């Protein structure tokens, strides 16, 4: 049985970790480097750092922050936000990131996925998919969730795998920050079709939600932010709970 991963996500804006609800009303949650080091020490399997304003404000993810994170932690971490070229990825990987995450740039130029997978290997390429329901259709969103597209979420998930993505980071915008649970149906549908790992994001509010997303949602990893940032759930406590519920995790 494959080990399920617990991944804290740090949304970074102007050098600070922030968290909101449905991608809005952001509040400060602390220094990303310090938080990352704390999570690594407390049993996180991986970390994700997303510069949520990078694409919107046409900025590049800060390489300097990546260097600082790499010097402090000993677990894999992914960096996303404003990445649109081989040069961007090269700079981040050279600074110490293990993987990069692309979203808006992949939608704009799907061939970017192919080029990055060829240049760096699929294991480095995570495609983030921000999705929201419209009249019962799941549609992809870009630019930090601010721009809807007419791209079907399930078709896009299949395409990114075919192009060489090594992992999908699936965020339900409808569930994001609500703490009402993950989007189980959407996650399950994509996870069962995909031959690459799917990270479920958006909606974690309690430990049972993680049990559900692994068992019912078939996710390979569960990602959350506010419940970890504001110490509502400790990672080791969560992992012990999951283990007792029969979920295979690294303790």
């Amino acid at each position: 049985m494959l080990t399920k991963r617990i991944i804290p996500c740090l949304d970074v804006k102007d050098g600070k970790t922030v968290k909101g609800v449905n991608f809005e009303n952001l509040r400060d949650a602390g220094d990303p480097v310090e938080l990352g080091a704390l999570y690594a020490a407390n049993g996180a399997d991986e970390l994700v750092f997303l510069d949520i304003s990078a694409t919107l404000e046409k900025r590049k993810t800060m390489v300097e922050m990546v260097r600082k994170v790499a010097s402090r932690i000993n677990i894999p971490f992914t960096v996303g936000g404003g990445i649109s070229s081989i040069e961007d990825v090269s700079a981040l990987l050279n600074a110490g990131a293990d993987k990069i995450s692309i979203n808006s740039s992949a939608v704009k130029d799907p061939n970017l996925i192919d080029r990055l997978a060829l240049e760096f290997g699929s294991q480095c390429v995570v495609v983030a998919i921000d999705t929201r329901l419209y009249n019962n259709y799941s549609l992809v969103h870009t630019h930090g969730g601010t721009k809807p597209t007419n791209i079907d979420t399930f078709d896009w998930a299949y395409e990114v795998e075919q192009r060489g993505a090594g992992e999908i980071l699936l965020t339900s915008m409808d569930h994001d920050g609500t703490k009402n649970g993950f989007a189980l149906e959407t996650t399950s549908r994509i996870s069962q079709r995909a031959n690459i790992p799917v990270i479920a994001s958006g909606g974690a509010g309690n430990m049972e939600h993680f049990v559900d997303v692994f068992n019912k949602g078939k996710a390979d990893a569960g990602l959350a932010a506010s419940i970890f940032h504001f110490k509502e759930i400790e990672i080791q406590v969560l992992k012990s709970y999951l283990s007792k519920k029969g979920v295979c995790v690294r303790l």
Side-chain angles (χ1 to χ4, degrees), residues 107-129:
V107 173
K108 181 180 179 181
D109 176 17
N111 286 319
L112 177 64
I113 304 169
D114 305 68
R115 296 196 299 273
L116 294 180
L118 185 64
E119 181 74 20
F120 303 104
S122 292
Q123 78 283 351
C124 291
V125 182
V126 179
V127 174
I129 300 176

Side-chain angles (χ1 to χ4, degrees), residues 160-230:
V160 302
E161 178 182 348
Q162 299 307 303
R163 288 183 174 276
E167 204 159 23
I168 292 170
L169 170 50
L170 178 68
T171 301
S172 166
M173 294 173 60
D174 296 303
H175 290 245
D176 177 70
T178 64
K179 300 182 184 176
N180 292 325
F182 293 93
L184 299 179
E185 186 176 335
T186 301
T187 304
S188 174
R189 186 171 164 185
I190 291 176
S191 294
Q192 294 194 83
R193 186 180 186 185
N195 293 305
I196 57 175
V198 174
I199 303 168
S201 168
N206 59 47
M207 293 190 287
E208 191 63 28
H209 290 155
F210 284 89
V211 176
D212 289 340
V213 84
F214 291 136
N215 290 338
K216 298 176 184 176
K218 311 298 180 185
D220 298 275
L223 179 147
S226 56
I227 60 169
F228 297 139
H229 301 339
F230 303 115

Side-chain angles (χ1 to χ4, degrees), residues 19-31:
K19 189 59 196 139
V21 177
N22 304 127
F23 283 39
E24 297 176 349
N25 301 321
L26 303 177
R27 57 176 172 152
D28 188 354
D31 177 79

